Amino acid sequence: MGFKLIDPLKRKYRIAFWYKGRHYAKVITGNRKLGQDVEAQMRLDLAEGKYFPERNKPNLPFSDAARRFIDQFAKNKPSSKHYYYNTLSAIDHFGSKLINDITPEDIRQYRAKERAKGLHPVSVNHRQKNLRRMFNWLEEVGLFDGKNPASGKYVPLENERPYWRRNFLTQEQFKKLLEVAHPRMRTIIITATHTGMRHGELERIRKRDVDLDRCTIWIPQSKNGEPGSVPLTDTLFAVLAPIVRALPSPESKVLDFTHYDKLWKKARAEAGLLQEVWEEGMNRWQKVKANKNFHLHDLRHTAASYAIMGSKDPYAVQHFLRLKTQSLMARYAHLLPGHVRQAALTLDLQLPVALPPAPVTIQQVETALIPAEPIINPINPR
């Protein structure tokens, strides 16, 4: 052990020593003084944790890392509730397993377990995306270094397109919903359909966010974490202007969500948008929410659909909805069958075809021989 000359011709020295139960060795070329300096520097780096730093990186239990993710990253996010529940589910599965030991196969098993519970495929995707974000954050703060096991590159996400909601109101349904809704609920519905704003964004609108001079609503905090704004339509301006002007404080909320659940359910039921089914439970009848119920988020789909049918400018509608990519437009903007046919009818003008005259059928000939009025015999009128 220590310092030893191993090749006099090439002046190679071998440094070898033990430190905290580990053996360290290094070969250098130079002289004894250089070797002594290198050894001293190695010992100093070991004492400060700078030598083989990857050995000193923490390998936290998943439960500890997940709780740090909740407390330090997800807690103040607009979607904190979703982060919280998805992360708790992962804690139940991975428990105290070390984060560096989790592999893509573990993620696949986790997905299979969640599907076996009856969880919807889109919800299973959300749970994997939550894990992916968590491992990315752990890498950003220096608690994880390696390949993200939840990446879609290693564990592909299920295609969500077949499960996208396509509910949006017809003009008749929209009119009926406004007629039966409570005044407070009516204001929320009009704001949602004329801005395409999400539920949480609607609840957070304050007087200071509404600029009546520029006809815009400022959105300081959105789902994707980026601020934005949405223009006021003339209809919405007429509805919100009196409310905003009457509010006492800049921090006052513009929309009143008091008894929201009760009022929204009542409005949907009276408008024929609430479908409830009953199934036999354990010794009793229990009500089950049907999949075809109309959600408040479907008003965002309604706004997108009529905006794209009216403006025919996908780029403008993308910015109106504050979507990051144009591909997301397919998720929100839907077209009425009549609107699709009108688009198809433009081909009659752009691609005219000289059609041959239609052939005359026997039935058409017989019909042509039948007189329009009965013929009266002048000799025998009967």
Side-chain angles (χ1 to χ4, degrees):
M1 298 300 167
F3 191 78
K4 183 179 180 181
L5 179 65
I6 59 175
D7 190 339
L9 294 177
K10 296 183 178 180
R11 301 186 62 79
K12 286 188 177 181
Y13 292 85
R14 184 176 185 269
I15 303 167
F17 60 92
W18 288 85
Y19 182 82
K20 291 186 177 181
R22 283 182 177 272
H23 182 257
Y24 296 90
K26 189 178 182 71
V27 176
I28 67 162
T29 301
N31 54 41
R32 180 173 292 276
K33 179 67 170 66
L34 176 62
Q36 292 172 345
D37 292 342
V38 170
E39 181 181 356
Q41 186 62 47
M42 287 174 63
R43 290 180 179 275
L44 179 62
D45 289 344
L46 284 168
E48 296 178 351
K50 297 177 181 178
Y51 199 77
F52 291 128
E54 64 277 1
R55 295 181 182 176
N56 300 309
K57 286 189 176 180
N59 189 10
L60 298 175
F62 181 87
S63 55
D64 293 349
R67 295 190 189 282
R68 289 195 189 192
F69 173 68
I70 292 174
D71 294 338
Q72 299 177 30
F73 173 81
K75 192 173 183 179
N76 298 320
K77 297 292 182 182
S79 302
S80 58
K81 180 173 67 175
H82 300 289
Y83 280 119
Y84 178 76
Y85 287 111
N86 286 330
T87 306
L88 283 186
S89 168
I91 291 175
D92 290 340
H93 180 79
F94 293 104
S96 59
K97 186 167 186 174
L98 299 178
I99 56 175
N100 289 339
D101 296 340
I102 295 176
T103 65
E105 180 57 31
D106 294 324
I107 304 298
R108 279 188 282 270
Q109 292 178 7
Y110 172 59
R111 285 184 61 95
K113 181 181 176 181
E114 296 301 297
R115 286 291 289 123
K117 290 180 182 178
L119 207 65
H120 194 277
V122 174
S123 298
V124 176
N125 278 358
H126 287 169
R127 298 210 163 164
Q128 180 180 337
K129 292 175 184 177
N130 182 73
L131 278 175
R132 181 179 64 191
R133 185 66 191 93
M134 186 188 108
F135 276 100
N136 285 338
W137 178 81
L138 290 172
E139 184 176 12
E140 290 169 8
V141 297
L143 296 176
F144 175 77
D145 184 17
K147 295 179 179 178
N148 189 329
S151 169
K153 182 167 58 175
Y154 307 118
V155 184
L157 297 166
E158 186 166 346
N159 181 19
E160 297 183 5
R161 189 175 289 268
Y163 309 107
W164 284 355
R165 289 182 64 84
R166 293 174 171 81
N167 288 353
F168 70 103
L169 295 175
T170 64
Q171 293 176 335
E172 293 74 17
Q173 289 173 325
F174 177 63
K175 182 179 179 181
K176 177 65 175 177
L177 184 62
L178 292 181
E179 288 175 354
V180 300
H182 185 278
R184 286 204 307 271
M185 194 67 235
R186 188 182 304 125
T187 303
I188 294 173
I189 293 170
I190 294 173
T191 306
T193 49
H194 277 254
T195 62
M197 293 173 68
R198 302 175 178 92
H199 188 148
E201 295 168 348
L202 293 168
E203 283 193 283
R204 291 191 291 269
I205 300 177
R206 301 181 185 275
K207 179 176 181 177
R208 57 178 167 78
D209 299 325
V210 183
D211 189 335
L212 296 178
D213 294 331
R214 294 182 174 84
C215 292
T216 58
I217 298 178
W218 174 249
I219 304 173
Q221 191 179 38
S222 64
K223 179 182 177 181
N224 58 24
E226 296 180 358
S229 64
V230 65
L232 285 173
T233 63
D234 292 341
T235 299
L236 186 58
F237 183 92
V239 172
L240 292 186
I243 298 174
V244 172
R245 288 173 179 143
L247 291 174
S249 167
E251 298 301 317
S252 300
K253 290 190 174 182
V254 175
L255 300 177
D256 188 351
F257 275 79
T258 306
H259 305 306
Y260 159 78
D261 290 330
K262 179 180 178 180
L263 296 177
W264 177 231
K265 181 177 179 179
K266 183 175 183 295
R268 286 181 296 163
E270 293 184 9
L273 300 173
L274 182 66
Q275 179 183 352
E276 293 177 342
V277 296
W278 296 76
E279 71 174 15
E280 191 172 1
M282 299 297 292
N283 302 321
R284 65 185 180 89
W285 286 87
Q286 60 181 8
K287 190 164 27 175
V288 179
K289 186 168 66 173
N291 290 331
K292 293 186 178 180
N293 283 349
F294 191 84
H295 299 169
L296 186 74
H297 193 73
D298 294 329
L299 296 178
R300 179 169 166 83
H301 288 247
T302 302
S305 301
Y306 284 99
I308 195 67
M309 287 188 286
S311 72
K312 301 180 180 63
D313 185 349
Y315 187 71
V317 177
Q318 176 189 341
H319 282 262
F320 167 61
L321 294 174
R322 293 159 287 115
L323 298 173
K324 284 191 172 182
T325 63
Q326 187 65 47
S327 61
L328 285 173
M329 283 293 299
R331 185 164 190 164
Y332 285 98
H334 319 292
L335 304 178
L336 290 168
H339 189 83
V340 175
R341 185 170 187 275
Q342 288 300 319
L345 289 177
T346 61
L347 299 178
D348 290 335
L349 300 175
Q350 300 176 70
L351 301 173
V353 177
L355 298 175
V360 179
T361 64
I362 297 176
Q363 184 179 2
Q364 289 174 323
V365 173
E366 292 176 348
T367 303
L369 295 176
I370 299 175
E373 296 180 358
I375 299 175
I376 301 176
N377 189 337
I379 301 175
N380 185 6
R382 291 180 298 177

